[in-house]
């Protein structure tokens, strides 16, 4: 059982690294510097991981250069916990 679990974890790790590489390359194609592209791709991967665990407050730069502050989650059923309306 442990060998199977380790194999699954290795496969997940490989897929995450590949996703990060693909995102970084897409950012480079859009004109982003290589170092910045890999930094942003890594940060995006980390935020997505946190979004799967619960509510996350984050910010990002929009194409027009403005900073957008946001809160979100990928978890079903907890959206009402941070609803401020």
């Amino acid at each position: 059982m442990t060998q199977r679990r380790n194999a699954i974890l290795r496969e997940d790790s490989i897929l995450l690294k590949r996703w990060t590489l693909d995102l970084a390359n897409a950012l480079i194609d859009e004109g982003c510097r290589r170092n910045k592209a890999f930094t942003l791709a890594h940060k995006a991967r980390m935020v997505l991981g946190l979004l799967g665990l619960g509510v996350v407050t984050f910010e990002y730069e929009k194409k027009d250069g403005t900073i957008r502050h946001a809160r979100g989650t990928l978890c079903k059923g907890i959206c009402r916990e941070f609803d401020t309306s």
Side-chain angles (χ1 to χ4, degrees):
M1 186 63 108
T2 303
Q3 287 179 336
R4 179 163 170 72
R5 182 172 157 253
N6 288 341
I8 290 170
L9 290 174
R10 273 194 305 275
E11 185 176 325
D12 285 350
S13 176
I14 291 168
L15 290 174
L16 284 173
K17 288 176 184 174
R18 182 61 197 199
W19 183 88
T20 306
L21 180 64
D22 288 345
L23 178 57
N25 284 326
L27 291 169
I28 291 168
D29 290 346
E30 291 290 321
C32 192
R33 288 186 346 263
R34 182 177 170 81
N35 285 346
K36 185 174 181 178
F38 278 95
T39 299
L40 291 173
H42 177 72
K43 286 181 180 181
R45 186 177 91 185
M46 299 306 289
V47 168
L48 283 173
L50 292 172
L51 286 168
L53 298 175
V55 178
V56 179
T57 301
F58 58 97
E59 61 184 37
Y60 60 93
E61 184 178 351
K62 294 167 48 173
K63 281 199 173 213
D64 65 4
T66 59
I67 301 295
R68 166 84 160 88
H69 300 275
R71 288 189 304 167
T73 184
L74 294 174
C75 300
K76 291 183 180 181
I78 65 170
C79 291
R80 285 177 234 146
E81 287 183 21
F82 67 98
D83 187 13
T84 59
S85 57

